[in-house]
Amino acid sequence: QMHLVQSGPEVKKPGTSVKVSCKASGFTFSSSTVQWVRQARGQGPEWIGCIVVGSGSTKSSQRFQGRVSFTRDMSTSTTYMELSSLRSEDTAVYSCAADGLSGVLPGAQNGLDVWGQGTTVTVSS
Amino acid sequence: QTVVTQEPSLTVSPGGTVTLTCASSTGTVTSAHYPNWFHQKPGQAPRALIYATSNKYPWTPARFSGSLLGGKGALTLSGVQPEDEADYYCLLRFSGTWVFGGGTKLTVL
């Protein structure tokens, strides 16, 4: 069974940073790409960025460039997303997703087949 | 900033067929955008249905199919079931970055 388990809810003050973790199991973590997505209440998902686990290379949406970073710990199969300079508009559920079936299904490296349970981040003074 | 556009809402009768589309502000959607489709029910995470235009996951019901149609990505549901009522999102790739569509609220009535 493929799983992504995320860290718990966070309440942060404007201007501070938040770091969310995402622990993988049940698939080949080192061959995967982990994407990060957020969803504000009543809104659709918004792509934040990703990390290619094997190489550690990252990409992010222009909207977040300079404010977001992604890291991974191969020893614990965990990826991290850190978002800085938080503002109230960053209040959302943050989710990780991965191509767990990459290498199993042809072309599945271009999908997001396993999702974390989401982490609620609330930014409030 | 690239915008991906979907129909805001569609209604279909049980047993009917409906096609949802996914357009890009940059022009024609092609297989190089690797269209993905997800559905999401209230309080749940999105669930993947289709990847790379038309490929299904082991859990994807046979009534769902993905394609390219008229310069857009498309998701067709044939023989719609009441449980298909959900929000549907497409996801397109642009040179290593991804953009979600705004979503289609599908009502089965």
Side-chain angles (χ1 to χ4, degrees):
Chain A
Q1 282 270 30
M2 301 186 296
H3 288 292
L4 291 171
V5 178
Q6 298 182 223
S7 47
E10 301 267 10
V11 179
K12 294 292 182 178
K13 295 210 179 298
T16 63
S17 299
V18 68
K19 192 170 186 177
V20 180
S21 68
C22 170
K23 183 175 175 60
S25 63
F27 62 94
T28 307
F29 178 67
S30 58
S31 301
S32 68
T33 297
V34 177
Q35 315 277 351
W36 287 87
V37 174
R38 76 178 186 183
Q39 198 163 9
R41 185 186 295 272
Q43 303 295 310
E46 178 179 22
W47 186 78
I48 301 171
C50 66
I51 181 166
V52 180
V53 173
S55 65
S57 65
T58 63
K59 287 210 178 225
S60 61
S61 166
Q62 274 192 320
R63 273 173 50 89
F64 299 95
Q65 276 176 9
R67 269 208 312 146
V68 71
S69 63
F70 307 101
T71 54
R72 89 285 198 220
D73 182 341
M74 305 292 278
S75 68
T76 60
S77 298
T78 302
T79 56
Y80 301 88
M81 181 211 66
E82 185 166 18
L83 185 63
S84 61
S85 302
L86 290 170
R87 33 209 189 231
S88 59
E89 310 89 88
D90 294 318
T91 295
V93 175
Y94 289 74
S95 297
C96 57
D99 53 342
L101 291 173
S102 172
V104 176
L105 293 181
Q109 67 272 19
N110 295 300
L112 280 68
D113 50 73
V114 55
W115 287 68
Q117 82 275 20
T119 295
T120 299
V121 174
T122 304
V123 183
S124 173
S125 54
Chain B
Q1 182 83 348
T2 302
V3 176
V4 176
T5 302
Q6 301 179 239
E7 297 86 1
S9 64
L10 290 170
T11 300
V12 61
S13 300
T17 296
V18 64
T19 297
L20 290 64
T21 68
C22 178
S24 168
S25 62
T26 63
T28 299
V29 174
T30 70
S31 58
H33 292 100
Y34 300 100
N36 279 253
W37 291 92
F38 305 85
H39 67 184
Q40 185 177 32
K41 298 185 179 180
Q44 298 180 17
R47 184 157 175 85
L49 293 169
I50 299 287
Y51 67 96
T53 306
S54 58
N55 295 278
K56 299 181 185 183
Y57 290 102
W59 54 81
T60 304
R63 60 184 180 275
F64 291 86
S65 63
S67 64
L68 298 173
L69 198 63
K72 301 178 184 180
L75 176 72
T76 299
L77 288 71
S78 305
V80 171
Q81 302 295 306
E83 61 265 29
D84 296 331
E85 184 162 293
D87 294 324
Y88 288 79
Y89 297 98
C90 67
L91 177 66
L92 300 180
R93 181 172 173 169
F94 298 89
S95 302
T97 65
W98 295 84
V99 180
F100 278 96
T104 296
K105 185 175 186 63
L106 182 67
T107 300
V108 181
L109 205 56

